[in-house]
Amino acid sequence: MNLSQLQHSLREKVIETANASFGIELEQIAAEVPPKTELGDLAFPVAFELAKRIKQATGEKKNPREIAENLKSALESFDFIEKVEVAGAGYLNVFYNRASFLSGVPNAEPLPKLKLSRDENSVKVCVEHTSVNPNKAAHIGHIRNSIMGDTFMRILRANGQRVETQNYIDNTGVQVADVVIGFIYVEKLTLAEIVELDKKLLAENKTFDYYCWDLYAKVGQEYQRDEELKAKRAEVLHLVEEGGNETSELADYVVLRNVQSIIATMERLSIRYDLLPRESDILHLHFWKKAFEKMKEIGVIHLEKEGKNAGCWVMPVDSHTGSDEHEADKILVRSNGTVTYTGKDIAYQMWKLGLLGLDFYYELFHTYGDGKEVWATTSEKPEKAARNPAFGSGEKVYNVIDSRQSYPQEVVKKGVSLIAPERGEQASVHLSYEMVALSPAAAEELGFELTEEDRKRPFIEMSGRKGLGVKADDLITRLEANALEEVKKRHADLPEEEQIKTAHIIAVGALRYFLLKFTRNTIIVFDFKEALSFEGETGIFCQYSAVRANSIFRKLQETDLQTATKTVLDETEKVAGVFNSEIGNEIWSLLTLASRLEETVAQAATANEPAILAKYAFNLSKAFNLFYHNHRIVAEENAVKRAVLIIIADAARRALTSALNTMGIEVPERM
RNA sequence: GCUCCCGUAGCUCAGUUGGAUAGAGCGUUCGCCUCCUAAGCGAAAGGUCGCAGGUUCAAAUCCCGCCGGGAGCACCA
């Protein structure tokens, strides 16, 4: 029996007993972890609730402690239970039998459900993340999106679901058009010349996406003083959308190179994709037309006859009240007959959920070093028979998009649920998160001049248009360099290749943890000092803790773990003695924390909150560091104590390693 | 104007479906490497949980009203 099963049984028993003894039917009862180990392993504050319910039902006033005493005996009969105490005003505190619990630990897999992720029968869900406009390099804000999405994908997989990861490519948007305008009208380059430029940049060790970053900002400035240039946007945008012309060919190249860059950047952070859906294909394959027909058929949208929305197809959104400035209705088709972004998004969301009745064609986009493939959508049926896996049709779709998009996401969700009420609103999840902004100091460090007013602001929003932001590759490179310096200090004897590899793992751990430790609706005000810190609550702290744990087992004989397992199974009484000694509570608390991994991963999944897992990894690391500091396993002479310590250290390192892997953080050999 | 988010230690943040003495990291002060890695460990100082009401045996958490900060509400994408 594992911990969560035990908890479940205890809960059931409490509910059953409450019904039998007092005739009260409890739906769900709270179980919590007591604030201190001395207070037990699990607490039920259920007696308070019962006292209230009894009073309501019979008018009889009962003391919560008395009620708790009644429930106590019912729980004590369980196998793994050492004792049950009534504490405080009426808490029911449960103490597990430590020795018998420990004997079950060595056989437990750290994340048994992890294996199910390859099960073809498990539920399939889609997670869309990254979706950077392919007109420039990715910055730290995009990285938050990708790390959030990638980690959430890992959490879902650890919970046994099949997950398809999609990175949406908006290749026909204005941002791309802006950079295209920059190339054609500002830089006055042809496609052939751009290709040449690209090669030249490569030779100079510069990158195309960085060049576009600067060009995009430059175009933004040009727009401010050149109205004519700005007027070209609509024309260029139209050509790009239409396809099959010189401008769109140029755009295709710009998009391709930027997408390649973004994928390379993300791979540095261990982030990969299954599919790159392209907006142009949604247009060319007329996804919207199909969705539009369905919406008209069902009557969820209507043609506005009069008023300022006359001639538009609109969908009512009841969560928004209308005003003079803003209508309560959302326009999906403009009076000129073209579809809005939100309209397209509804059609696309339907495809993701397998509700549209249309599909893309696919082509191989890229193969990662280990053979894993990324596919992209296309509009044309490929000549050779496609050997791509089936894409889309998720039971549930998670869109990782920042909170500023909450309103359009709500409209999409609403629209889809109206078309397919059987799937409802819960099929579409907007995994929203707050933006990453810059502290005024960080903005100045990047060379931006701030006004007095700006300096007083709590944060400065990043802006691709202004070229203001911390580029992802720059930050990763800086973290790697700092880590390498430290690794060289500590492990001068290691071959350089190893040092670089270690530094890379450390840098990824630092960055991923940094962006995961904040809950989703906290605005991250980026500060270089904090982001580059290698001490305190960091990914490095967690990695270091795991590395130390592993170093214990490097020092031990290979047979020591087996011997310890046997000892723990055979010497139950002596093991109990160890737990009853003065170190008992401390080592036990580490063990129970380690055993809570599975529960924590599940919690992170249901709460849609990766930060829960990050906090867990940090707390587990902290607890292990304390344990490591207090006990010398290798030198321990008492065989039983040594065995207990070994089993606990092993449980802790397995749980920690799994937790970190679920966050996409590796544990290096040495650091 | 309307909707949503935030306000917890000097700073940055956690705080489970309401629960026991409100926690962590950084910073400050003071200790700890003859010992499995000091990227570590320990100790001290630091709080009117924005303000004011309400519900409850119990409120940082739920409700109402204020105050302060942010985002969104396009025939833009």
Side-chain angles (χ1 to χ4, degrees), chain A residues 83-100:
Chain A
K83 59 174 176 178
V84 180
E85 280 180 0
V86 175
Y91 284 94
L92 202 57
N93 289 348
V94 179
F95 294 75
Y96 298 153
N97 184 317
R98 298 177 174 183
S100 65

Side-chain angles (χ1 to χ4, degrees), chain A residues 22 63 69 150 161 208 213 223 272 309 311 323 327 330 332 461 488 552 564 569:
Chain A
F22 307 107
N63 186 339
E69 287 291 346
D150 183 67
Q161 302 189 20
F208 190 74
W213 174 283
Y223 280 159
R272 293 175 166 196
N309 288 346
S323 67
E327 290 291 329
K330 180 72 192 171
L332 298 185
E461 195 173 341
K488 286 194 164 166
I552 294 171
L569 286 171

Side-chain angles (χ1 to χ4, degrees), chain A residues 349-403:
Chain A
Q349 182 76 4
M350 286 174 68
W351 171 81
K352 287 188 195 170
L353 289 162
L355 296 168
L356 188 65
L358 284 176
D359 198 5
F360 295 103
Y361 298 109
Y362 302 94
E363 64 183 14
L364 186 62
F365 183 84
H366 174 69
T367 306
Y368 290 108
D370 64 352
K372 189 210 157 13
E373 295 174 341
V374 196
W375 290 72
T377 60
T378 68
S379 310
E380 306 287 330
K381 194 172 182 175
E383 284 172 22
K384 286 183 214 165
R387 50 173 193 84
N388 58 282
F391 292 110
S393 298
E395 278 295 312
K396 210 165 179 179
V397 170
Y398 296 89
N399 295 320
V400 183
I401 306 176
D402 83 72
S403 62

Side-chain angles (χ1 to χ4, degrees), chain A residues 124-128 152 345-355 394-401 406 408-432 520 608:
Chain A
K124 176 182 175 180
V125 299
C126 298
V127 174
E128 178 193 299
F152 192 65
D345 228 19
I346 289 173
Y348 177 43
Q349 182 76 4
M350 286 174 68
W351 171 81
K352 287 188 195 170
L353 289 162
L355 296 168
E395 278 295 312
K396 210 165 179 179
V397 170
Y398 296 89
N399 295 320
V400 183
I401 306 176
S406 294
Q409 279 295 303
E410 187 197 324
V411 176
V412 169
K413 178 195 281 201
K414 175 94 182 296
V416 171
S417 75
L418 286 173
I419 299 164
E422 72 281 6
R423 300 287 287 276
E425 295 199 1
Q426 68 272 15
S428 309
V429 179
H430 175 200
L431 208 66
S432 85
R520 286 188 291 121
N608 294 345

Side-chain angles (χ1 to χ4, degrees), chain A residues 533-550:
Chain A
S533 168
F534 284 2
E535 281 163 19
E537 195 196 339
T538 62
I540 295 172
F541 180 98
C542 302
Q543 288 172 317
Y544 186 64
S545 181
V547 167
R548 286 170 126 190
N550 288 334

Side-chain angles (χ1 to χ4, degrees), chain A residues 474-617:
Chain A
D474 284 351
L475 185 62
I476 300 167
T477 301
R478 212 164 144 184
L479 283 163
E480 283 175 343
N482 290 2
L484 186 59
E485 203 181 309
E486 294 295 321
V487 171
K488 286 194 164 166
K489 252 191 252 171
R490 288 152 216 257
H491 302 286
D493 52 322
L494 279 178
E496 192 171 26
E497 196 185 326
E498 278 299 307
Q499 292 174 333
I500 290 171
K501 190 180 161 200
T502 305
H504 170 73
I505 293 172
I506 290 170
V508 173
L511 186 50
R512 290 190 70 125
Y513 189 89
F514 176 72
L515 292 170
L516 287 170
K517 74 175 175 181
F518 298 94
T519 51
R520 286 188 291 121
N521 49 16
T522 297
I523 297 173
I524 299 179
V525 180
F526 183 86
D527 180 77
F528 279 102
K529 190 168 163 262
E530 204 187 335
L532 294 169
S533 168
F534 284 2
E535 281 163 19
E537 195 196 339
T538 62
I540 295 172
F541 180 98
C542 302
Q543 288 172 317
Y544 186 64
S545 181
V547 167
R548 286 170 126 190
N550 288 334
S551 79
I552 294 171
F553 289 88
R554 206 164 31 230
K555 283 278 173 7
L556 291 171
Q557 302 295 316
E558 270 186 39
T559 51
D560 280 349
L561 185 57
Q562 294 163 21
T563 312
T565 305
K566 194 170 183 304
T567 305
V568 160
L569 286 171
D570 295 347
E571 309 278 352
T572 317
E573 284 197 17
K574 286 184 184 167
V575 169
V578 174
F579 279 119
N580 287 328
S581 71
E582 56 184 3
I583 65 161
N585 282 340
E586 181 228 310
I587 60 173
W588 172 249
S589 66
L590 175 60
L591 184 65
T592 51
L593 187 58
S595 67
R596 236 170 267 141
L597 169 69
E598 203 180 325
E599 179 190 330
T600 306
V601 172
Q603 200 190 341
T606 47
N608 294 345
E609 183 54 270
I612 291 173
L613 187 57
K615 282 290 172 214
Y616 172 79

